[in-house]
Amino acid sequence: MKRKAYITSTGSYLPESILSNEMICEMVDTSDEWIQERCGVKERRILKDKDKATAYMAAEAAKKALQKGGISKDDIEVIIVATATPEHPFPSTASIVSEMLGIKRAFCFDVSAACSGFLYALNIGARLIESNAYKSVLVIGSDKMSSIMDYTNRNTCVLFGDGAGAVVLKPTNNGFGIGESLLETDGSGYQNLYQKAGGSLFPATADTVLNKEHSISMNGPAVFKMAVENMVGCCKNLLEKHQIQKSEIDYLIPHQANKRIITATADYLEMKMEKVALNIHKYGNTTCASIPICLDEWSSKFKNGDKLILCAFGAGYTYGSTLVTWNSGLEENV
Ligand SMILES: CC(C)(COP(=O)(O)OP(=O)(O)OC[C@H]1O[C@@H](n2cnc3c(N)ncnc32)[C@H](O)[C@@H]1OP(=O)(O)O)[C@@H](O)C(=O)NCCC(=O)NCCS
């Protein structure tokens, strides 16, 4: 059977500090009721330590994945970090994570695809394994969204939180693992969701700081419409392309942007909510971390051979879906 990659273990890290809706109500004109009803968020986690950021959370999630899988750090050949809030503009956050984990000589790089970042990174990792080039790939999604949040802007600050999730990929020849995928980008709406300044077009100046152009800027309703259209669309196209019936899917693992976007995707798939990984109420939108955190929290439910559909939408616009046949590791692997 064709060599594939499978998720051999998962890990996640959530900062201890909770930012509740009640606390947000003291910062901006909003209400717990509005946030829960329109977004599905009750609270989010915030990394408060001034000397810790995206790489720290990524390394902590990775340590847990390695420990859970009984995998030595010395086995890791590739580290891919998906993030929208890198530790620095350069070098890559993955380089810093490799140092934090004490992993030498790995092939390390970041993936920038906003909220679809983990899905993009997972697919790159899987293809590296399928190509026979590597046997052990660490894929991490980590974001310190609080570092680019304007806590006076109610359009954005109610939605996002900090966190990280990680998976270790290994090869298998039992036909299970990371399967068909559909990843696309539509650049036409990039200005509806972006961090305007701090890159090469608008480097940091006193004005960019004063104008809060280093914080996330979002046209919520425009993004919402595209998110529903594309989360549903990429699941539909993937299933149709590979002639897979909705009834064959056991679990939906969606990016956690807004509960209403998740429900719309679940409705299309005719999936009961108990089969949909949901943690937006606890963590808000953790951007690249949301899918791997869900995988870590839900993996104990998955049985060997269960079919999962992972799907995401994010700034760019980036979006995609991936089928995973869960491999509990009980089958013979290569
Ligand atoms: C941001 C979002 C929650 C706003 O919800 P919405 O139902 O679209 O709300 P709107 O922006 O149309 O605003 C509706 C009303 O609520 C108000 N409102 C907006 N944010 C509010 C808040 N935090 N608290 C209370 N009221 C708020 C608006 O001012 C508006 O009032 P008005 O009708 O008097 O003008 C929603 O658009 C969304 O989730 N967008 C996608 C975000 C996303 O997924 N981003 C990441 C992509 S990966």
Side-chain angles (χ1 to χ4, degrees):
M1 224 166 313
K2 185 175 167 272
R3 177 175 160 117
K4 281 188 174 180
Y6 81 104
I7 296 171
T8 177
S9 70
T10 62
S12 59
Y13 173 83
L14 277 312
E16 273 175 23
S17 180
I18 291 174
L19 180 62
S20 66
N21 285 353
E22 288 70 25
M23 292 155 91
I24 291 260
C25 290
E26 286 170 18
M27 301 169 172
V28 291
D29 179 17
T30 189
S31 67
D32 174 41
E33 196 188 2
W34 192 95
I35 304 172
Q36 287 207 47
E37 197 182 301
R38 304 305 293 162
C39 315
V41 184
K42 286 185 189 160
E43 57 189 40
R44 46 310 284 129
R45 301 297 180 93
I46 304 294
L47 184 62
K48 287 228 162 138
D49 316 52
K50 290 272 180 284
D51 59 339
K52 294 190 174 101
T54 298
Y56 168 79
M57 295 191 293
E60 289 303 302
K63 278 183 207 164
K64 289 188 189 159
L66 292 173
Q67 194 182 21
K68 224 187 209 181
I71 300 158
S72 160
K73 66 179 172 58
D74 301 326
D75 284 352
I76 299 298
E77 300 164 305
V78 183
I79 303 175
I80 313 175
V81 176
T83 185
T85 51
E87 195 92 341
H88 302 284
F90 77 91
S92 70
T93 300
S95 306
I96 300 162
V97 170
S98 75
E99 181 60 19
M100 286 175 165
L101 295 175
I103 294 176
K104 301 288 176 202
R105 306 184 64 192
F107 167 33
C108 302
F109 59 97
D110 289 0
V111 166
S112 169
C115 295
S116 310
F118 178 79
L119 211 53
Y120 275 41
L122 184 75
N123 275 275
I124 296 166
R127 305 307 158 232
L128 290 174
I129 284 182
E130 280 169 20
S131 72
N132 242 322
Y134 297 95
K135 291 198 299 278
S136 212
V137 178
L138 180 57
V139 183
I140 309 170
S142 181
D143 269 303
K144 187 178 177 184
M145 295 307 290
S146 61
S147 67
I148 56 164
M149 211 47 58
D150 171 4
Y151 285 101
T152 65
N153 181 353
R154 69 176 185 176
N155 292 324
T156 51
C157 75
V158 300
L159 288 167
F160 295 90
D162 301 340
V167 301
V168 181
L169 303 181
K170 296 243 182 207
T172 176
N173 60 5
N174 68 2
F176 289 1
I178 296 161
E180 293 78 7
S181 204
L182 189 151
L183 299 167
E184 293 179 358
T185 303
D186 168 6
S188 65
Y190 85 91
Q191 285 171 327
N192 283 331
L193 181 54
Y194 73 150
Q195 183 188 334
K196 185 172 177 184
S200 55
L201 185 57
F202 299 109
T205 63
D207 280 345
T208 62
V209 173
L210 274 177
N211 295 335
K212 299 187 173 173
E213 289 169 358
H214 296 269
S215 302
I216 191 167
S217 157
M218 183 176 77
N219 175 347
V223 173
F224 185 89
K225 185 172 172 287
M226 291 303 283
V228 172
E229 220 171 283
N230 287 300
M231 291 267 283
V232 170
C234 64
C235 289
K236 183 172 186 281
N237 294 342
L238 183 68
L239 296 186
E240 280 176 6
K241 188 172 169 195
H242 298 282
Q243 298 182 329
I244 296 162
Q245 303 304 312
K246 292 173 186 174
S247 56
E248 290 176 55
I249 306 296
D250 297 294
Y251 292 98
L252 168 64
I253 318 293
H255 167 55
Q256 312 279 307
N258 183 315
K259 193 175 174 195
R260 290 182 290 140
I261 300 172
I262 296 171
T263 310
T265 314
D267 285 350
Y268 164 72
L269 288 169
E270 294 163 19
M271 189 152 282
K272 289 190 181 126
M273 284 314 278
E274 64 257 30
K275 295 286 185 178
V276 180
L278 202 67
N279 58 23
I280 188 168
H281 53 294
K282 296 190 285 183
Y283 311 134
N285 180 351
T286 53
T287 305
C288 293
S290 78
I291 291 181
I293 295 172
C294 283
L295 286 171
D296 189 41
E297 291 191 336
W298 280 63
S299 58
S300 60
K301 296 180 199 279
F302 306 148
K303 294 194 297 295
N304 207 30
D306 275 352
K307 282 197 178 349
L308 281 47
I309 187 161
L310 278 47
C311 75
F313 174 87
Y317 300 119
T318 53
Y319 49 92
S321 56
T322 297
L323 283 165
V324 173
T325 306
W326 194 254
N327 187 350
S328 62
L330 299 173
E331 302 295 313
E332 191 193 329
N333 298 310
V334 287

